[in-house]
Amino acid sequence: MSQITRSSVRRAAVLSVSVLALAALPSVAMAQTAAADTAKDDGEIVVTAQKREQSLSDVSVSVSAVTADKLASTNTAGIEALQNLVPSISFGNDFNFAKLFIRGIGLSSSLPGVDPSVALYVDGAVVSLAQAQLGSLFDLERVEVLRGPQGTLYGRNATGGAVNLITAKPTEETRGYARLTVGGPQLNLIGEAAIGGKIAEGVLGRFAVRAIRRDGYGINEVTGNDIDNARQLSMRAHLEFKPTETVDILLTGEYHREDDRALAIKFREVSFPGVLTDANPANDGLSALGQRTNLDGSQARFSTNPRNLATNFDPINNRTQYAFTGAITVEASDAVTLKSLTSYRKFDAIFFQDFDMSTYLGYALAQTGPIRSSANHWQPVFENQFSQELQGNVDTDRFHGVFGLFYLDERINAENHIGLDVLTNTDPFRIQFDGSLYVKTWAAYANVSYELSDQFTIKAGGRYSWEKRRLVNNTGIGDGPTGFLLDSVRLGIPMWDVAKSWRDFSPSLGLEYRPTDGVLIYANWSRGFKSGTAEIGSTRRTSLTQPLPFVDPEKVEAYEIGLKFNGATFDANVAAFFQTLKNGQFSLTRPIPAPPFFTSTLTNAARSEAYGVEVEMRWRPTQAFTLDGSVAYLHSTFTNFRASDPLDARLFAPGADPNALLKDLSGNSTRMSPRWSVNLNPSYRIEAGNGGSVTLASNFAYRSKQYHTEFNDDRLAQEGYIQLDANILYTHPGDRFTANLWVKNLTNELVYAGSFSISTSRAIGGTLMPPRTYGVTLGYKF
């Protein structure tokens, strides 16, 4: 009872501070309005977060926008760097999956089949697969990040939030740019260019390309080859037709290719330290593979540097994705716009890594006799998705409405093989988690607002979703006497070939109040929904009566109050929120009595709640100096969660009962949920005598401690860190030529983007954010 009371007091305190901030800012607004307009920024940021063009300060939702100039000056090339520019967003990465978290809600599974909790869109078309979210950011107009449940404005469900990449579109005038980056200490070459303009009467086009070639951030100490290098090529083409003044047809083609040795998990430490030196020989089987002796008598070892590997094979990261999108916009009248958005996306990836993260060559189990087995991991994923969205926008003096229909058809085929030789499939003892998932989704949504007066506006929205998923599994485990067998052969029962569907209605309500020009106060309530599903290949069927492998939908309910102020020299956005998550979808590792002595199970294991405050501001006291900044406080914890910890050695004792070793995780922090996030980006422009300018800028990013596991184990966590970036930008007279000298992660912080306890190798691994990098970027635009 006392814990509940303290929690309630903390929430009340945070919300009280928020209300005081909301009350105080209007007085600041009046003071700022009286200030001189000489320092007002000429470049107002316009967003389409609510499906119509609005000033960022006039949107009554939590949305941040990162402009193309900001992306270029900070040398932001991938989605992982957004966490240094936007509050309350965290980026994780393991097993080739992008794991975006917003306000403590994100993807915890590392097997295909589970939807991301944070949706990613390119010009409104969803990128459904988490692995496909790791593409390059290039030739963008801006990036919009919406925090909180999304479903009444976008086609796809999202319980955590949404990231929308707005690409640069064709223009009537011929425009373009070219940029070349040369960096070190790893030789880093980035070439990027775009050109667009009028092709013929009523026909516009634009083509953009980016190529990245970078040496590795580390090496494989066994092979001597670079790892975490980059070999990427991205292209995008727009073709826009304007047959009449009221009809616009935009055709887009995208291509992205990677072929390098990136994203493999690096060794952090062994899972069960001390088992080889204690007095109980029965515990020796819990030693990490990298602690054991090879058959040739050599001692296995791990890497000597956290950015290196010491593995018998180099990792493979081979990904190709392309997309075709058609957007047809018809202005039916001055108030009504109709839009059709059709998209097809294909994603193919082959990912391989040495799971034991060591020089171990393989071992013989009692079940396999002389046959050796090891923990090499092979994971090809092939996905096709087709989506169709029909949208109607109504925009009158007082009524604004968005009405949409959405359809998604997706197929994911995945393999997960673990064994000694998974590249040629000659190892008779290995683990196979293969299967396919077929997804069909229909949805109807609406979001409307009505201006009761010049000061008051009411909003309402709703989304009806129908989702159906069919799982076809093809799992199995090999043994010594008979070689590899599928479960269907071993058990004499059919594999999973089952389907299930879900329905949901998620409403939203809101209120806007504008006490004076430049001040918006709002309150929102919304519910979000993420479909029930199953991980591909994760569940072994052991009997005909075993329950279906599907988990129930994940649902969130969110409350938010906020204030946005747009003044002469100072802009500020403040949001306070409280949200509850029910039936959180978590992937948990649990022991089993037969080889490989573990399995992964997706389960509705958790309830959590989060509350916090986010403050974004921009201060420009003079034309020369600008300070952008944000501060976010997040308290995100489990309120009901019981599970057995896969790093509890007692689970692997003979006859152990996992149900007797359940831990109460209530009060533990959710994954990727730093309590404090701070971003500061000051810049100062110095006018040069020749008419050009030099801009000095830096970026300060702080994240407090965040856990990569719901068990809040310090061994799978990232301690609080500060990351400093800086750049000096020279702009030639006429703004055509630029030279940007930059450095990122100035103090060379070692930051883990994700951590994972690998059961097959009894070791803990992690993926790392880039080390210190620096270089110069030369640009020319026309």
Side-chain angles (χ1 to χ4, degrees):
M1 189 68 166
S2 61
Q3 290 182 343
I4 296 176
T5 302
R6 287 195 296 269
S7 177
S8 302
V9 170
R10 287 195 300 267
R11 289 196 298 268
V14 170
L15 292 177
S16 297
V17 171
S18 305
V19 171
L20 288 174
L22 297 179
L25 273 172
S27 62
V28 177
M30 290 184 284
Q32 289 289 334
T33 303
D37 287 336
T38 56
K40 181 65 180 175
D41 185 11
D42 295 328
E44 183 181 34
I45 298 177
V46 176
V47 297
T48 54
Q50 297 189 125
K51 297 298 184 177
R52 66 182 192 273
E53 290 190 350
Q54 294 175 283
S55 169
L56 181 62
S57 60
D58 200 39
V59 181
S60 58
V61 295
S62 291
V63 56
S64 299
V66 184
T67 64
D69 288 342
K70 179 71 71 176
L71 293 171
S73 65
T74 57
N75 202 45
T76 299
I79 198 169
E80 68 276 2
L82 289 179
Q83 64 182 346
N84 291 333
L85 302 173
V86 177
S88 293
I89 183 171
S90 297
F91 174 84
N93 169 33
D94 60 51
F95 298 92
N96 208 15
F97 282 73
K99 295 188 173 180
L100 288 170
F101 284 72
I102 293 180
R103 293 178 175 176
I105 297 178
L107 176 66
S108 74
S109 172
S110 296
L111 289 174
V114 184
D115 292 338
S117 297
V118 177
L120 178 71
Y121 300 89
V122 179
D123 290 331
V126 68
V127 180
S128 186
L129 189 69
Q131 288 166 299
Q133 294 183 345
L134 286 169
S136 178
L137 304 185
F138 74 105
D139 197 38
L140 299 180
E141 179 181 317
R142 67 186 179 277
V143 178
E144 297 179 1
V145 180
L146 290 87
R147 298 181 288 275
Q150 305 297 324
T152 64
L153 288 168
Y154 288 86
R156 199 71 178 106
N157 301 307
T159 51
V163 177
N164 194 11
L165 310 183
I166 312 296
T167 66
K169 303 300 190 301
T171 54
E172 289 282 348
E173 304 82 11
T174 300
R175 294 180 182 174
Y177 65 88
R179 285 195 289 264
L180 175 64
T181 296
V182 180
Q186 300 81 20
L187 181 58
N188 184 19
L189 299 174
I190 303 176
E192 181 177 352
I195 186 172
K198 187 175 181 178
I199 299 175
E201 191 63 35
V203 181
L204 309 178
R206 186 178 181 90
F207 177 76
V209 61
R210 167 182 275 182
I212 301 177
R213 297 291 184 271
R214 189 195 68 236
D215 292 343
Y217 294 140
I219 63 169
N220 186 342
E221 297 171 5
V222 175
T223 66
N225 293 325
D226 281 4
I227 61 167
D228 283 334
N229 62 330
R231 297 291 185 270
Q232 301 181 14
L233 176 64
S234 304
M235 293 185 289
R236 182 185 299 117
H238 290 301
L239 194 59
E240 186 173 10
F241 300 91
K242 296 184 176 183
T244 70
E245 292 184 355
T246 60
V247 177
D248 185 279
I249 303 172
L250 180 65
L251 305 179
T252 303
E254 292 184 320
Y255 174 84
H256 178 73
R257 167 77 171 167
E258 297 184 23
D259 187 3
D260 47 41
R261 295 183 290 272
L263 302 177
I265 288 182
K266 317 300 184 302
F267 172 72
R268 292 196 68 173
E269 60 179 277
V270 298
S271 298
F272 304 103
V275 295
L276 293 177
T277 57
D278 63 14
N280 186 1
N283 289 335
D284 291 357
L286 294 178
S287 61
L289 300 188
Q291 294 177 296
R292 303 184 183 185
T293 303
N294 288 309
L295 294 179
D296 62 5
S298 63
Q299 177 63 48
R301 67 176 182 87
F302 297 106
S303 64
T304 58
N305 184 305
R307 291 197 179 275
N308 291 349
L309 289 175
T311 55
N312 305 302
F313 300 93
D314 289 325
I316 297 172
N317 173 48
N318 190 325
R319 292 187 287 157
T320 302
Q321 57 180 310
Y322 58 83
F324 301 101
T325 302
I328 303 175
T329 304
V330 179
E331 295 182 10
S333 68
D334 291 341
V336 178
T337 302
L338 306 176
K339 185 174 183 178
S340 169
L341 185 63
T342 308
S343 181
Y344 172 78
R345 182 173 293 271
K346 181 175 175 57
F347 176 83
D348 296 339
I350 296 176
F351 187 58
F352 168 81
Q353 60 183 329
D354 190 341
F355 239 2
D356 58 69
M357 300 172 287
S358 73
T359 60
Y360 194 60
L361 296 173
Y363 63 99
L365 292 177
Q367 291 82 1
T368 65
I371 300 173
R372 290 186 297 154
S373 180
S374 190
N376 295 318
H377 179 220
W378 167 264
Q379 186 190 60
V381 176
F382 309 100
E383 184 240 16
N384 296 270
Q385 69 167 75
F386 170 82
S387 63
Q388 173 65 57
E389 187 170 356
L390 300 176
Q391 192 180 105
N393 286 30
V394 180
D395 196 0
T396 67
D397 289 342
R398 293 196 175 274
F399 180 83
H400 311 281
V402 179
F403 306 88
L405 296 173
F406 176 75
Y407 171 73
L408 173 71
D409 190 337
E410 181 182 19
R411 175 175 177 171
I412 308 171
N413 297 321
E415 299 177 12
N416 270 285
H417 299 174
I418 302 175
L420 178 66
D421 186 358
V422 294
L423 294 176
T424 61
N425 289 333
T426 59
D427 177 17
F429 182 88
R430 61 187 175 96
I431 305 162
Q432 174 178 308
F433 293 151
D434 294 0
S436 300
L437 187 72
Y438 304 84
V439 180
K440 288 188 182 295
T441 296
W442 293 90
Y445 64 89
N447 189 291
V448 299
S449 63
Y450 183 76
E451 298 176 14
L452 299 173
S453 66
D454 291 341
Q455 290 183 311
F456 287 98
T457 300
I458 57 173
K459 303 189 303 179
R463 177 192 183 89
Y464 176 80
S465 302
W466 178 86
E467 302 246 1
K468 181 178 181 180
R469 305 205 170 202
R470 176 191 170 200
L471 175 71
V472 180
N473 263 8
N474 198 30
T475 64
I477 295 177
D479 59 26
T482 58
F484 181 79
L485 288 178
L486 295 173
D487 282 351
S488 57
V489 178
R490 182 193 309 281
L491 302 173
I493 59 176
M495 299 297 295
W496 287 126
D497 187 349
V498 290
K500 191 174 182 178
S501 61
W502 297 267
R503 293 175 173 84
D504 176 78
F505 177 73
S506 299
S508 66
L509 294 172
L511 177 67
E512 300 176 2
Y513 172 57
R514 293 174 172 81
T516 185
D517 289 344
V519 177
L520 168 65
I521 300 174
Y522 67 90
N524 293 325
W525 167 80
S526 60
R527 287 179 176 170
F529 161 84
K530 187 172 84 168
S531 174
T533 190
E535 292 176 319
I536 297 177
S538 65
T539 302
R540 299 172 59 208
R541 191 173 191 182
T542 57
S543 70
L544 286 171
T545 60
Q546 182 173 330
L548 294 181
F550 297 104
V551 296
D552 292 328
E554 179 178 285
K555 297 186 178 182
V556 64
E557 184 169 17
Y559 303 84
E560 180 178 319
I561 57 174
L563 180 144
K564 296 194 173 185
F565 164 61
N566 184 13
T569 62
F570 181 75
D571 298 338
N573 302 328
V574 181
F577 64 91
F578 173 76
Q579 63 188 25
T580 57
L581 178 72
K582 297 181 180 179
N583 285 334
Q585 297 173 358
F586 280 80
S587 182
L588 300 175
T589 299
R590 59 183 176 86
I592 56 177
F597 307 110
F598 83 98
T599 188
S600 176
T601 303
L602 186 68
T603 181
N604 292 116
R607 291 189 180 186
S608 64
E609 69 176 26
Y611 58 87
V613 179
E614 299 156 349
V615 180
E616 294 182 275
M617 54 80 68
R618 189 178 207 202
W619 181 42
R620 191 170 185 181
T622 69
Q623 290 285 358
F625 178 72
T626 301
L627 176 62
D628 293 316
S630 66
V631 179
Y633 172 81
L634 172 65
H635 184 275
S636 180
T637 58
F638 295 107
T639 57
N640 184 10
F641 194 3
R642 291 176 61 83
S644 54
D645 187 349
L647 291 178
D648 186 344
R650 296 174 298 172
L651 286 170
F652 299 91
D657 181 7
N659 293 324
L661 296 173
L662 293 177
K663 295 183 178 180
D664 184 2
L665 305 182
S666 300
N668 280 14
S669 296
T670 58
R671 297 187 184 190
M672 306 299 294
S673 303
R675 188 65 58 93
W676 289 98
S677 302
V678 180
N679 297 317
L680 294 175
N681 179 214
S683 65
Y684 188 79
R685 177 170 173 155
I686 303 170
E687 300 297 333
N690 64 352
S693 65
V694 176
T695 301
L696 310 177
S698 64
N699 191 73
F700 168 94
Y702 168 73
R703 294 291 184 273
S704 60
K705 185 174 183 176
Q706 50 191 316
Y707 292 99
H708 301 153
T709 170
E710 54 276 359
F711 296 96
N712 286 190
D713 191 324
D714 288 338
R715 297 177 296 168
L716 291 89
Q718 172 57 53
E719 296 294 332
Y721 67 93
I722 293 174
Q723 184 165 315
L724 295 172
D725 303 337
N727 71 289
I728 302 173
L729 174 66
Y730 170 73
T731 303
H732 193 264
D735 293 340
R736 288 186 178 271
F737 174 77
T738 58
N740 189 20
L741 182 65
W742 53 267
V743 58
K744 298 178 72 67
N745 193 6
L746 180 64
T747 56
N748 200 25
E749 295 293 316
L750 188 74
V751 178
Y752 283 94
S755 303
F756 200 86
S757 173
I758 305 173
S759 300
T760 48
S761 61
R762 307 290 196 252
I764 297 171
T767 53
L768 289 162
M769 299 290 285
R772 177 173 52 235
T773 56
Y774 52 83
V776 60
T777 300
L778 305 178
Y780 180 79
K781 62 181 179 181
F782 53 90

